[in-house]
Short mmCIF file of all heavy atoms in Angstrom, two decimals:
data_model
loop_
_atom_site.label_atom_id
_atom_site.label_comp_id
_atom_site.label_asym_id
_atom_site.label_seq_id
_atom_site.Cartn_x
_atom_site.Cartn_y
_atom_site.Cartn_z
N GLY A 1 186.04 -51.24 93.98
CA GLY A 1 186.19 -51.59 92.57
C GLY A 1 185.44 -50.71 91.59
O GLY A 1 185.36 -51.03 90.40
N THR A 2 184.88 -49.59 92.06
CA THR A 2 184.20 -48.66 91.16
C THR A 2 185.22 -47.96 90.28
O THR A 2 186.24 -47.47 90.77
CB THR A 2 183.41 -47.61 91.96
OG1 THR A 2 182.47 -48.27 92.81
CG2 THR A 2 182.67 -46.66 91.03
N SER A 3 184.97 -47.92 88.98
CA SER A 3 185.93 -47.30 88.06
C SER A 3 185.25 -46.30 87.14
O SER A 3 184.03 -46.34 86.94
CB SER A 3 186.63 -48.38 87.22
OG SER A 3 185.69 -49.06 86.41
N PHE A 4 186.04 -45.39 86.61
CA PHE A 4 185.58 -44.39 85.65
C PHE A 4 186.57 -44.36 84.48
O PHE A 4 187.69 -44.89 84.59
CB PHE A 4 185.52 -43.01 86.31
CG PHE A 4 184.44 -42.88 87.35
CD1 PHE A 4 184.67 -43.25 88.67
CD2 PHE A 4 183.19 -42.38 87.02
CE1 PHE A 4 183.68 -43.14 89.64
CE2 PHE A 4 182.20 -42.25 87.98
CZ PHE A 4 182.44 -42.63 89.29
N ASP A 5 186.16 -43.75 83.40
CA ASP A 5 187.07 -43.59 82.25
C ASP A 5 188.02 -42.43 82.47
O ASP A 5 189.16 -42.45 81.98
CB ASP A 5 186.26 -43.36 80.96
CG ASP A 5 185.37 -44.53 80.63
OD1 ASP A 5 185.86 -45.68 80.67
OD2 ASP A 5 184.18 -44.31 80.33
N VAL A 6 187.57 -41.43 83.21
CA VAL A 6 188.40 -40.26 83.45
C VAL A 6 187.98 -39.59 84.76
O VAL A 6 186.80 -39.58 85.11
CB VAL A 6 188.30 -39.25 82.28
CG1 VAL A 6 186.87 -38.77 82.08
CG2 VAL A 6 189.25 -38.08 82.45
N VAL A 7 188.96 -39.07 85.49
CA VAL A 7 188.72 -38.28 86.70
C VAL A 7 189.22 -36.87 86.44
O VAL A 7 190.31 -36.66 85.91
CB VAL A 7 189.44 -38.88 87.92
CG1 VAL A 7 189.28 -37.96 89.13
CG2 VAL A 7 188.90 -40.27 88.25
N TYR A 8 188.41 -35.88 86.82
CA TYR A 8 188.69 -34.48 86.49
C TYR A 8 188.78 -33.64 87.77
O TYR A 8 187.97 -33.79 88.68
CB TYR A 8 187.57 -33.96 85.59
CG TYR A 8 187.61 -32.48 85.28
CD1 TYR A 8 188.71 -31.91 84.64
CD2 TYR A 8 186.54 -31.65 85.61
CE1 TYR A 8 188.73 -30.55 84.34
CE2 TYR A 8 186.55 -30.31 85.32
CZ TYR A 8 187.65 -29.75 84.68
OH TYR A 8 187.68 -28.42 84.39
N PHE A 9 189.77 -32.75 87.80
CA PHE A 9 189.94 -31.80 88.90
C PHE A 9 190.02 -30.38 88.34
O PHE A 9 190.75 -30.12 87.38
CB PHE A 9 191.23 -32.07 89.67
CG PHE A 9 191.31 -33.39 90.36
CD1 PHE A 9 191.92 -34.48 89.74
CD2 PHE A 9 190.79 -33.56 91.63
CE1 PHE A 9 192.01 -35.70 90.38
CE2 PHE A 9 190.88 -34.78 92.29
CZ PHE A 9 191.49 -35.86 91.66
N ASP A 10 189.30 -29.47 88.97
CA ASP A 10 189.40 -28.05 88.64
C ASP A 10 189.63 -27.28 89.94
O ASP A 10 188.68 -26.80 90.56
CB ASP A 10 188.12 -27.57 87.95
CG ASP A 10 188.14 -26.07 87.69
OD1 ASP A 10 189.19 -25.43 87.90
OD2 ASP A 10 187.10 -25.52 87.28
N PRO A 11 190.89 -27.17 90.39
CA PRO A 11 191.19 -26.46 91.64
C PRO A 11 191.36 -24.96 91.44
O PRO A 11 192.21 -24.32 92.04
CB PRO A 11 192.51 -27.10 92.08
CG PRO A 11 193.19 -27.45 90.79
CD PRO A 11 192.09 -27.77 89.80
N MET A 12 190.52 -24.37 90.59
CA MET A 12 190.71 -22.99 90.17
C MET A 12 190.44 -21.97 91.26
O MET A 12 190.85 -20.83 91.14
CB MET A 12 189.81 -22.68 88.97
CG MET A 12 190.21 -23.42 87.71
SD MET A 12 191.81 -22.87 87.08
CE MET A 12 191.37 -21.27 86.43
N PHE A 13 189.74 -22.34 92.34
CA PHE A 13 189.45 -21.37 93.38
C PHE A 13 190.70 -20.86 94.08
O PHE A 13 190.65 -19.90 94.83
CB PHE A 13 188.49 -21.96 94.41
CG PHE A 13 187.07 -21.99 93.94
CD1 PHE A 13 186.40 -23.19 93.81
CD2 PHE A 13 186.41 -20.82 93.63
CE1 PHE A 13 185.09 -23.22 93.38
CE2 PHE A 13 185.11 -20.85 93.19
CZ PHE A 13 184.44 -22.04 93.07
N ARG A 14 191.83 -21.50 93.86
CA ARG A 14 193.08 -21.00 94.45
C ARG A 14 193.46 -19.65 93.85
O ARG A 14 194.24 -18.90 94.42
CB ARG A 14 194.21 -22.00 94.21
CG ARG A 14 194.12 -23.23 95.09
CD ARG A 14 195.40 -24.01 95.00
NE ARG A 14 195.62 -24.53 93.67
CZ ARG A 14 196.80 -24.93 93.21
NH1 ARG A 14 197.87 -24.81 93.96
NH2 ARG A 14 196.93 -25.42 92.00
N HIS A 15 192.93 -19.36 92.67
CA HIS A 15 193.28 -18.13 91.95
C HIS A 15 192.00 -17.34 91.70
O HIS A 15 191.35 -17.55 90.68
CB HIS A 15 193.99 -18.45 90.64
CG HIS A 15 195.17 -19.35 90.82
ND1 HIS A 15 196.38 -18.89 91.27
CD2 HIS A 15 195.32 -20.68 90.63
CE1 HIS A 15 197.24 -19.91 91.33
NE2 HIS A 15 196.61 -21.00 90.96
N PRO A 16 191.60 -16.45 92.60
CA PRO A 16 190.35 -15.71 92.43
C PRO A 16 190.31 -14.91 91.14
O PRO A 16 191.33 -14.40 90.69
CB PRO A 16 190.32 -14.77 93.65
CG PRO A 16 191.28 -15.36 94.63
CD PRO A 16 192.33 -16.05 93.81
N VAL A 17 189.11 -14.83 90.57
CA VAL A 17 188.91 -13.98 89.40
C VAL A 17 188.54 -12.60 89.90
O VAL A 17 187.44 -12.37 90.39
CB VAL A 17 187.79 -14.55 88.49
CG1 VAL A 17 187.58 -13.64 87.29
CG2 VAL A 17 188.14 -15.96 88.06
N GLN A 18 189.48 -11.68 89.82
CA GLN A 18 189.26 -10.36 90.37
C GLN A 18 188.14 -9.65 89.60
O GLN A 18 188.09 -9.66 88.38
CB GLN A 18 190.54 -9.53 90.28
CG GLN A 18 191.70 -10.13 91.07
CD GLN A 18 191.41 -10.22 92.56
OE1 GLN A 18 190.71 -9.38 93.10
NE2 GLN A 18 191.95 -11.24 93.22
N GLY A 19 187.23 -9.04 90.38
CA GLY A 19 186.17 -8.27 89.76
C GLY A 19 184.95 -9.09 89.39
O GLY A 19 183.97 -8.55 88.91
N SER A 20 184.99 -10.40 89.61
CA SER A 20 183.85 -11.25 89.29
C SER A 20 182.95 -11.35 90.53
O SER A 20 183.29 -12.03 91.49
CB SER A 20 184.30 -12.64 88.85
OG SER A 20 183.19 -13.51 88.76
N LYS A 21 181.79 -10.68 90.52
CA LYS A 21 180.90 -10.69 91.67
C LYS A 21 180.36 -12.09 91.93
O LYS A 21 180.18 -12.50 93.08
CB LYS A 21 179.74 -9.72 91.44
CG LYS A 21 180.17 -8.25 91.48
CD LYS A 21 178.98 -7.33 91.36
CE LYS A 21 179.41 -5.87 91.45
NZ LYS A 21 178.25 -4.95 91.35
N ALA A 22 180.12 -12.85 90.84
CA ALA A 22 179.61 -14.21 91.01
C ALA A 22 180.62 -15.07 91.74
O ALA A 22 180.28 -15.83 92.65
CB ALA A 22 179.29 -14.81 89.64
N MET A 23 181.90 -14.94 91.39
CA MET A 23 182.94 -15.73 92.03
C MET A 23 183.19 -15.27 93.46
O MET A 23 183.50 -16.07 94.34
CB MET A 23 184.23 -15.66 91.22
CG MET A 23 184.19 -16.41 89.90
SD MET A 23 183.90 -18.19 90.10
CE MET A 23 182.16 -18.34 89.67
N GLU A 24 183.06 -13.96 93.70
CA GLU A 24 183.25 -13.44 95.05
C GLU A 24 182.21 -14.01 96.01
O GLU A 24 182.50 -14.29 97.16
CB GLU A 24 183.18 -11.91 95.03
CG GLU A 24 184.40 -11.25 94.39
CD GLU A 24 184.22 -9.75 94.20
OE1 GLU A 24 183.19 -9.23 94.68
OE2 GLU A 24 185.08 -9.12 93.58
N ALA A 25 180.98 -14.19 95.52
CA ALA A 25 179.92 -14.75 96.35
C ALA A 25 180.08 -16.25 96.51
O ALA A 25 179.76 -16.82 97.55
CB ALA A 25 178.56 -14.43 95.74
N LEU A 26 180.60 -16.90 95.47
CA LEU A 26 180.72 -18.36 95.48
C LEU A 26 181.95 -18.84 96.25
O LEU A 26 181.90 -19.87 96.93
CB LEU A 26 180.81 -18.85 94.02
CG LEU A 26 180.82 -20.36 93.79
CD1 LEU A 26 179.56 -21.00 94.36
CD2 LEU A 26 180.92 -20.65 92.30
N ARG A 27 183.02 -18.09 96.19
CA ARG A 27 184.28 -18.52 96.78
C ARG A 27 184.18 -18.87 98.26
O ARG A 27 184.68 -19.92 98.68
CB ARG A 27 185.34 -17.43 96.54
CG ARG A 27 186.73 -17.80 97.05
CD ARG A 27 187.72 -16.68 96.72
NE ARG A 27 189.03 -16.96 97.31
CZ ARG A 27 189.96 -17.70 96.74
NH1 ARG A 27 189.73 -18.27 95.58
NH2 ARG A 27 191.12 -17.92 97.33
N PRO A 28 183.53 -18.06 99.10
CA PRO A 28 183.46 -18.41 100.53
C PRO A 28 182.67 -19.69 100.80
O PRO A 28 182.82 -20.29 101.86
CB PRO A 28 182.76 -17.20 101.16
CG PRO A 28 182.96 -16.09 100.18
CD PRO A 28 182.93 -16.74 98.84
N LEU A 29 181.81 -20.11 99.86
CA LEU A 29 181.02 -21.32 100.06
C LEU A 29 181.81 -22.58 99.73
O LEU A 29 181.41 -23.68 100.09
CB LEU A 29 179.77 -21.27 99.16
CG LEU A 29 178.84 -20.08 99.34
CD1 LEU A 29 177.69 -20.17 98.36
CD2 LEU A 29 178.32 -20.01 100.77
N SER A 30 182.92 -22.42 99.03
CA SER A 30 183.68 -23.58 98.56
C SER A 30 184.72 -24.01 99.59
O SER A 30 185.13 -23.25 100.46
CB SER A 30 184.38 -23.25 97.24
OG SER A 30 185.38 -22.27 97.45
N LEU A 31 185.15 -25.27 99.46
CA LEU A 31 186.22 -25.79 100.30
C LEU A 31 187.55 -25.44 99.66
O LEU A 31 187.89 -25.96 98.61
CB LEU A 31 186.09 -27.32 100.45
CG LEU A 31 187.16 -28.00 101.32
CD1 LEU A 31 187.05 -27.52 102.76
CD2 LEU A 31 187.03 -29.51 101.26
N GLU A 32 188.28 -24.52 100.30
CA GLU A 32 189.52 -24.03 99.71
C GLU A 32 190.72 -24.83 100.21
O GLU A 32 191.33 -24.48 101.20
CB GLU A 32 189.70 -22.54 100.02
CG GLU A 32 188.66 -21.65 99.36
CD GLU A 32 189.00 -20.19 99.53
OE1 GLU A 32 189.77 -19.66 98.72
OE2 GLU A 32 188.51 -19.59 100.50
N GLU A 33 191.01 -25.90 99.52
CA GLU A 33 192.19 -26.70 99.82
C GLU A 33 192.90 -27.02 98.51
O GLU A 33 192.27 -27.38 97.53
CB GLU A 33 191.80 -28.01 100.53
CG GLU A 33 191.31 -27.82 101.95
CD GLU A 33 191.06 -29.15 102.64
OE1 GLU A 33 191.25 -30.21 101.99
OE2 GLU A 33 190.67 -29.14 103.82
N PRO A 34 194.23 -26.87 98.47
CA PRO A 34 194.96 -27.19 97.24
C PRO A 34 194.85 -28.68 96.93
O PRO A 34 194.69 -29.51 97.83
CB PRO A 34 196.40 -26.78 97.57
CG PRO A 34 196.48 -26.80 99.06
CD PRO A 34 195.12 -26.40 99.55
N LEU A 35 194.91 -29.00 95.67
CA LEU A 35 194.85 -30.39 95.23
C LEU A 35 196.14 -31.11 95.63
O LEU A 35 197.24 -30.71 95.24
CB LEU A 35 194.67 -30.44 93.71
CG LEU A 35 194.68 -31.83 93.06
CD1 LEU A 35 193.56 -32.70 93.62
CD2 LEU A 35 194.55 -31.69 91.54
N ALA A 36 196.00 -32.17 96.42
CA ALA A 36 197.16 -32.92 96.90
C ALA A 36 197.59 -33.95 95.86
O ALA A 36 196.75 -34.55 95.18
CB ALA A 36 196.83 -33.62 98.22
N LYS A 37 198.89 -34.17 95.75
CA LYS A 37 199.40 -35.17 94.81
C LYS A 37 198.89 -36.57 95.16
O LYS A 37 198.67 -37.40 94.28
CB LYS A 37 200.93 -35.15 94.81
CG LYS A 37 201.53 -33.88 94.20
CD LYS A 37 203.05 -33.94 94.16
CE LYS A 37 203.63 -32.68 93.53
NZ LYS A 37 205.11 -32.71 93.49
N GLN A 38 198.69 -36.81 96.46
CA GLN A 38 198.17 -38.11 96.88
C GLN A 38 196.76 -38.34 96.34
O GLN A 38 196.40 -39.48 96.01
CB GLN A 38 198.16 -38.21 98.41
CG GLN A 38 199.54 -38.22 99.05
CD GLN A 38 200.03 -36.81 99.37
OE1 GLN A 38 199.58 -35.83 98.76
NE2 GLN A 38 200.92 -36.71 100.34
N THR A 39 195.98 -37.26 96.23
CA THR A 39 194.62 -37.39 95.69
C THR A 39 194.68 -37.73 94.21
O THR A 39 193.88 -38.53 93.70
CB THR A 39 193.84 -36.09 95.91
OG1 THR A 39 193.84 -35.76 97.31
CG2 THR A 39 192.40 -36.22 95.44
N VAL A 40 195.63 -37.14 93.50
CA VAL A 40 195.81 -37.46 92.08
C VAL A 40 196.21 -38.92 91.92
O VAL A 40 195.73 -39.62 91.01
CB VAL A 40 196.88 -36.53 91.45
CG1 VAL A 40 197.15 -36.93 90.01
CG2 VAL A 40 196.42 -35.07 91.52
#
């Protein structure tokens, strides 16, 4: 029964930012799975 006013998703890691060293280092640490409609 826990509720929130809004739930937010940012699945942006599916689209790497080319040339961004910060993102290149961060990307391998993240869980790369597309957002499922069932999760929404």
Side-chain angles (χ1 to χ4, degrees):
T2 302
S3 63
F4 291 86
D5 297 313
V6 60
V7 175
Y8 173 60
F9 296 95
D10 175 9
M12 292 293 287
F13 282 119
R14 286 191 295 161
H15 306 282
V17 179
Q18 299 298 328
S20 170
K21 290 185 178 180
M23 289 299 102
E24 288 172 6
L26 185 59
R27 183 178 174 86
L29 302 178
S30 67
L31 180 64
E32 294 188 86
E33 289 185 359
L35 176 60
K37 291 183 179 180
Q38 293 90 336
T39 304
V40 175

